[in-house]
Every structure is written in structure tokens, then in C-alpha cells.
Amino acid sequence: DAMVIQNPRYQVTQFGKPVTLSCSQTLNHNVMYWYQQKSSQAPKLLFHYYDKDFNNEADTPDNFQSRRPNTSFCFLDIRSPGLGDAAMYLCATSIQGHEQYFGPGTRLTVT
Amino acid sequence: QQQVKQSPQSLIVQKGGISIINCAYENTAFDYFPWYQQFPGKGPALLIAIRPDVSEKKEGRFTISFNKSAKQFSLHIMDSQPGDSATYFCATLNSGYSTLTFGKGTMLLVSP
């Protein structure tokens, strides 16, 4: 029944060690998003894909990259995680112009 | 520049009371106004949404009121329950684009 699935739910990585978070969807939505959410803050959009077209937010650090190999999957790569990158990472999907559906999130800890 | 202003930042309501959260926006191009509910450690879940062709939408205990001329919309939770204790985010969307603009959130606590 799950619609937007994120793996892993919890990820611990070392300072500077690359990490990849994954998202998959069963909704066949054409838009997929990655958000970063820190404690007591609203989700902050990092980037999104409209079909295969990649859209990067202007203030997203170069340390964050993304891949969308097909409609169902999207990955977030953090090339050199810093302590400030510890956060909840949320994946969401939508049909263009309609409501977004969020996954349960991946809690990233950087040690 | 914050495009969606949400208030209050936190709210305590007694069980059975009415919770009211307000949002104001600036960009008249926005044409979709969802509210999300988020429990600790979970992703936001779409609660209710409205388009500007109606002034009110009700789903169970949750109602959105929309004032297009004032560029404001609000969430009313009737008969608030302890299980409603969560963070609520308003958001806006220009349906010609794909991205939401979120308010800063309201932390609601419903006391038993």
C-alpha cells in the first residue's frame, strides 16, 4: 500500500564519507522532489525532477547531487557530508500542478 | 523574502476546542493551497487543500477558509483531539510550476 518509499529510514555516516539515499514511488507521478528538513523548520526544497528534467534550487550546495534513472526511482547523493547536513531528508512526488505526497523520510546522522 | 506567513508559531488548545491557524501569501499567481500535518519523525501528510474558486472546504473536523481578496487562508480544526497534536504547515502552489512554498509551521498541542 506504500506510495512513496524511502530507504533507509535511518542512516549514520561519517564526516566526509559519501552517502546515498533512495526513494521509490508506486504512484507513477512525473515529478519527484528532495527536501531537507531540520528540527522545527519547514521542509527546504533541494531539487526536483520534472520527468527527466532536473531543476536545482539556487541555494542548494554543490555537495548535494541527484539521479533519477527512471520514473519510479530517485536518489540523493551527498558527496562529502558535513555536520550541518544532519537532517531529515524527505522525498515527495506529484503530478505537475497538483498536491505532493511525501515519503516517511530518512533521518541522516553525521558523526 | 518569505512568501507565505504562517501564524501562530505554536498553539495550545484544550480537548474539544477549536484550533485556528492562519496563513497569508503575497503572490497572486498561487492557485492551490494545501495544508500538511506532520508528526514527529514522520513525513508531512496532505491534510486538506483548496483552490481559489471556493471560499471554504470542509473534510470531517478540518475546514479551510479562503479569502482571495485578503490573500489569506486558514485551517480550522473543530473538536480538537490529543491525536491532532502535530506540526501543521500551510503551503501555496502555482499550478503552472511544480514547487510548493511552505509556511514556517505551527506546532499544535491539544491538552487532554
Side-chain angles (χ1 to χ4, degrees), chain B residues 27-103:
Chain B
N27 188 342
T28 56
F30 293 138
D31 58 359
Y32 182 73
F33 302 89
W35 284 90
Y36 286 87
Q37 178 190 56
Q38 186 176 28
F39 293 104
K42 307 291 185 183
L46 180 66
L47 187 63
I48 187 172
I50 197 169
R51 295 202 181 267
D53 53 342
V54 296
S55 60
E56 186 175 282
K57 182 176 182 179
K58 183 176 181 179
E59 290 183 358
R61 297 184 293 109
F62 301 93
T63 300
I64 297 179
S65 297
F66 183 78
N67 186 329
K68 187 175 182 178
S69 60
K71 293 186 286 185
Q72 295 176 346
F73 59 110
S74 60
L75 176 69
H76 296 236
I77 306 174
M78 312 299 288
D79 186 27
S80 298
Q81 300 296 312
D84 297 330
S85 298
T87 299
Y88 293 81
F89 293 98
C90 66
T92 60
L93 174 71
N94 178 339
S95 58
Y97 300 90
S98 301
T99 58
L100 290 171
T101 301
F102 281 95

Side-chain angles (χ1 to χ4, degrees), chain A residues 70-84:
Chain A
N70 54 53
T71 300
S72 300
F73 286 86
C74 197
F75 299 96
L76 170 62
D77 301 308
I78 308 176
R79 293 192 296 187
S80 182
L83 297 178

Side-chain angles (χ1 to χ4, degrees), chain A residues 9-10 31 33 35 37 40-45 48 50 57 88 90 94 96-105 107, chain B residues 9 31-32 34 36 38 40-46 49 51 89 93-100 102-105 107:
Chain A
R9 294 294 314 279
Y10 302 91
V31 191
Y33 311 79
Y35 289 86
Q37 186 178 31
S40 301
Q41 295 183 19
K44 178 181 181 297
L45 182 64
H48 73 281
Y50 179 77
E57 293 301 295
M88 176 76 88
L90 297 163
S94 77
Q96 163 72 13
H98 291 79
E99 57 272 9
Q100 293 183 18
Y101 293 89
F102 285 82
R107 170 72 64 188
Chain B
Q9 186 175 351
D31 58 359
Y32 182 73
Y36 286 87
Q38 186 176 28
K42 307 291 185 183
L46 180 66
R51 295 202 181 267
F89 293 98
L93 174 71
N94 178 339
S95 58
Y97 300 90
S98 301
T99 58
L100 290 171
F102 281 95
K104 290 192 173 183
M107 191 176 300

